[in-house]
């Protein structure tokens, strides 16, 4: 039987200080990439920019592929291919999701960005982070399991009028590779996840319109680390 200590294992090179350094570097990279994404740009162009930025930051390998999705592609599952030829509009929504490796340590960050003033787009960007914050607080305050976390995420998401994409339901993070310990979803874990080891992902979709939003970050016990 696989036990909790196996699923939350780390390698000899694991360091919380190093993980926090890579977290900060990865989150910075997401925003550097987003700053270069402009209306009229295809996703393929945005991903090429992302590769250049990550190379400049010496984050040259990724434990998962670079994802930049815009418009209708923001509702896609993690492994789904984007519809080709989708171009970011003047009033549009997109997200960036990267999983680079810096040294021996994995990073993972994702966030949503909006051009224009579409109220649904702006609400999606705001509320995907709101949902993430509420779910994180549930974990911190009540010690719930990974499965209970995502049961609660569904409840909060639907209460705000969105649909939760359960294909994006959290995972381990560690010194590379975390998959040596656990390669499944946080939503399948039936114990209280320990801090600094698990990424909480929230992906929402509009119930009627063809777009969504995404946000992810580590479950940290110490929220004094920069957001």
């Amino acid at each position: 039987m696989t036990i909790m200590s196996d699923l939350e294992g780390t390698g000899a090179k694991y360091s919380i200080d190093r993980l926090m350094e890579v977290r900060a570097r990865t989150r910075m990279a997401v925003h550097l990439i987003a700053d270069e994404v402009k209306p009229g740009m295809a996703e393929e162009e945005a991903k090429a920019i992302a590769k250049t930025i990550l190379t400049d930051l010496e984050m040259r390998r990724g434990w998962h592929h670079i994802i930049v999705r815009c418009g209708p592609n923001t509702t896609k599952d993690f492994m789904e291919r984007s519809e080709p030829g989708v171009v970011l509009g003047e009033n549009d929504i997109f997200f960036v999701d990267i999983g680079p490796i810096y040294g021996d340590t994995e990073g993972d960050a994702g966030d949503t960005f909006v051009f224009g003033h579409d109220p649904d787009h702006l609400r999606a960007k705001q509320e995907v982070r709101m949902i993430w914050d509420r779910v994180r607080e549930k974990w911190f305050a009540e010690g719930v399991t990974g499965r209970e976390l995502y049961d609660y995420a569904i409840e909060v998401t639907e209460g705000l009028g969105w649909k939760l994409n359960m294909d994006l339901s959290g995972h381990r993070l560690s010194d590379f590779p975390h998959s040596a310990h656990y390669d499944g979803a946080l939503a399948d874990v039936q114990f209280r996840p320990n801090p600094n080891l698990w990424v909480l992902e929230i992906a929402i979709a509009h119930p009627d319109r063809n777009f969504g939003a995404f946000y992810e970050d580590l479950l940290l016990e110490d929220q004094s680390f920069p957001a």
Side-chain angles (χ1 to χ4, degrees):
M1 176 183 294
T2 301
I3 60 174
M4 172 180 155
S5 60
D6 293 331
L7 301 184
E8 295 200 318
T10 57
K13 297 177 180 178
Y14 176 80
S15 158
I16 181 60
D17 291 338
R18 185 66 163 174
L19 188 68
M20 292 301 101
E21 176 190 352
V22 176
R23 172 183 178 262
R25 198 178 188 90
T26 305
R27 291 168 65 79
M28 176 181 68
V30 165
H31 288 270
L32 289 174
I33 293 164
D35 286 346
E36 296 300 319
V37 175
K38 307 298 180 189
M41 186 177 287
E43 289 181 3
E44 294 78 10
E45 296 175 79
K47 286 194 285 186
I49 288 170
K51 288 179 183 177
T52 299
I53 288 172
L54 290 174
T55 298
D56 291 344
L57 293 172
E58 299 181 353
M59 305 175 87
R60 294 178 182 163
R61 297 182 298 156
W63 69 266
H64 81 63
H65 58 287
I66 293 168
I67 299 174
V68 182
R69 299 204 197 269
C70 61
N73 286 331
T74 55
T75 64
K76 299 285 187 183
D77 290 346
F78 179 74
M79 293 304 296
E80 281 187 273
R81 291 182 178 273
S82 285
E83 293 296 325
V86 173
V87 173
L88 188 67
E90 295 284 346
N91 289 283
D92 213 341
I93 189 167
F94 74 98
F95 70 77
V96 178
D97 177 11
I98 56 174
I101 301 166
Y102 183 66
D104 298 308
T105 301
E106 300 169 334
D108 197 23
D111 206 348
T112 295
F113 305 89
V114 171
F115 282 104
H117 303 285
D118 184 301
D120 286 340
H121 291 165
L122 294 169
R123 187 168 70 90
K125 174 179 171 54
Q126 176 186 18
E127 292 187 355
V128 73
R129 177 61 189 270
M130 181 191 303
I131 294 163
W132 191 97
D133 286 340
R134 288 176 63 179
V135 175
R136 183 265 169 195
E137 181 57 29
K138 180 86 167 177
W139 162 79
F140 182 72
E142 300 182 23
V144 297
T145 69
R147 180 166 294 179
E148 289 167 337
L149 271 182
Y150 275 90
D151 288 342
Y152 181 65
I154 292 170
E155 177 186 327
V156 174
T157 302
E158 291 181 349
L160 291 168
W162 304 97
K163 297 185 294 184
L164 187 69
N165 182 351
M166 283 296 293
D167 179 69
L168 292 154
S169 55
H171 55 79
R172 273 294 312 273
L173 206 68
S174 182
D175 48 336
F176 180 74
H178 72 261
S179 58
H181 305 284
Y182 181 62
D183 197 28
L186 173 58
D188 295 333
V189 169
Q190 298 192 56
F191 54 82
R192 193 259 193 189
N194 275 313
N196 314 321
L197 293 172
W198 298 89
V199 171
L200 174 65
E201 299 175 307
I202 299 294
I204 62 175
H206 193 280
D208 303 312
R209 299 178 62 188
N210 194 17
F211 76 87
F214 178 71
Y215 184 82
E216 67 175 344
D217 193 11
L218 273 167
L219 285 171
L220 301 177
E221 193 164 44
D222 182 356
Q223 286 299 93
S224 67
F225 289 108

